[in-house]
Amino acid sequence: MPIKTQSDLPAKEILENENIFVMDESRAVHQDIRALNVLILNNMPVKQDTELQLLRALSNTPLQIDVTFMNVKSHVSVNTPASHLNKFYTTIDEIRDRKFDGMIVTGAPVEDISFEEVDYWQEICEIFDWAETHVTSTLHICWAAQAGFYYYYGINKQPLSRKLSGIYEHRVANRKVPLVRGFDDIFLAPHSRHTETPAQAIHACPELTVLAESSVAGVYLAIAEGGRKIFVAGHPEYDRFTLKNEYDRDQGRGLSVPIPYNYFPGDDPKQRPLLQWRSHSNNLYSNWLNYYVYQVTPYEL
């Protein structure tokens, strides 16, 4: 799939070296195609890494996507240069009157504090409200999924006794729903978090349908409003070394964290991690774009 980005976005060159077709604005303007407009609210600290991961994940359908990156205006990022944000990112104030086919809201490293204590929580709530009338389908990832469960359905997160990190088995719970079309009965996906939204509370919520779950990591995938809201408790976008980088970072900070489960061969952090989740990650994003964005969004937004 051709992904339309700004021509000098740093991730563009990396994706092209991976043989992923990335189209810049100058070429896209000459094609008589109505691209899907996808907004990515990137709350991760090192935004360039997440840009690359998500653009890679979105690159496996024949659909053309015009990606817009957004960040919250009520928080100052200290891990991404201001020049990068000023050049490649927008805020809710600048796109308030636009409509989008799809939106992805990423995780954020704020799960150890309550939602109300997050300095940009009110802005997140504002964006969630805005999306109700301006976005066809929203995909919430990790902390954003927890935030969505809490904001829309009043289901709060709870702390874990130790960090959940690794590659876990999940079982498909409802194969008739198109979002999991093509999934194996059991598939692998990454998790990395210190908190969880209780599985029993999600199952008990009549507005939510659980589509995939792990006996260890809990609910992985849930859907609401016919696909207008989708919640992913893990990190399907993670690349091969993301969990390793997080583990090395935590070790460097002197934190007592477990070796990521089912990740390093022989649980040896010196070994190259196995990439075991990419096919289902690609399938998830492709199904979302096809069944819940492309096939239901109007041609004239």
Side-chain angles (χ1 to χ4, degrees), residues 38-41 54 58 102-106 138-139 141 285 288:
V38 174
L39 179 66
I40 298 178
L41 174 56
L54 287 174
L58 294 172
M103 180 169 74
I104 297 173
V105 186
T106 74
T138 300
L139 189 69
I141 301 173
Y285 285 101
W288 173 62

Side-chain angles (χ1 to χ4, degrees), residues 30-134:
H30 295 291
Q31 293 197 332
D32 189 18
I33 295 174
R34 208 290 249 167
L36 294 177
N37 291 296
V38 174
L39 179 66
I40 298 178
L41 174 56
N42 189 353
N43 298 310
M44 294 296 280
V46 184
K47 301 194 184 303
Q48 299 95 322
D49 291 349
T50 306
E51 293 163 12
L52 178 61
Q53 291 167 4
L54 287 174
L55 291 176
R56 185 187 287 125
L58 294 172
S59 67
N60 285 279
T61 79
L63 304 169
Q64 181 175 314
I65 295 180
D66 186 350
V67 173
T68 299
F69 288 104
M70 179 169 71
N71 65 308
V72 292
K73 63 182 187 295
S74 48
H75 176 78
V76 177
S77 177
V78 297
N79 295 290
T80 300
S83 58
H84 185 87
L85 296 175
N86 292 335
K87 188 169 188 177
F88 299 113
Y89 279 71
T90 187
T91 66
I92 183 63
D93 290 341
E94 296 170 316
I95 51 90
R96 194 179 299 277
D97 295 331
R98 291 179 58 187
K99 292 192 174 183
F100 291 85
D101 301 292
M103 180 169 74
I104 297 173
V105 186
T106 74
V110 292
E111 56 178 307
D112 285 334
I113 60 177
S114 69
F115 293 112
E116 288 82 1
E117 289 180 299
V118 175
D119 59 0
Y120 49 87
W121 175 244
Q122 289 304 315
E123 187 174 355
I124 290 290
C125 296
E126 177 190 355
I127 292 170
F128 282 173
D129 286 341
W130 169 86
E132 295 276 10
T133 54
H134 289 76

Side-chain angles (χ1 to χ4, degrees), residues 1-21:
M1 168 191 63
I3 300 174
K4 178 186 169 187
T5 68
Q6 291 168 269
S7 59
D8 49 354
L9 182 73
K12 180 175 182 289
E13 182 178 356
I14 299 174
L15 291 168
E16 288 175 335
N17 289 335
E18 296 178 10
N19 206 29
I20 293 174
F21 182 18

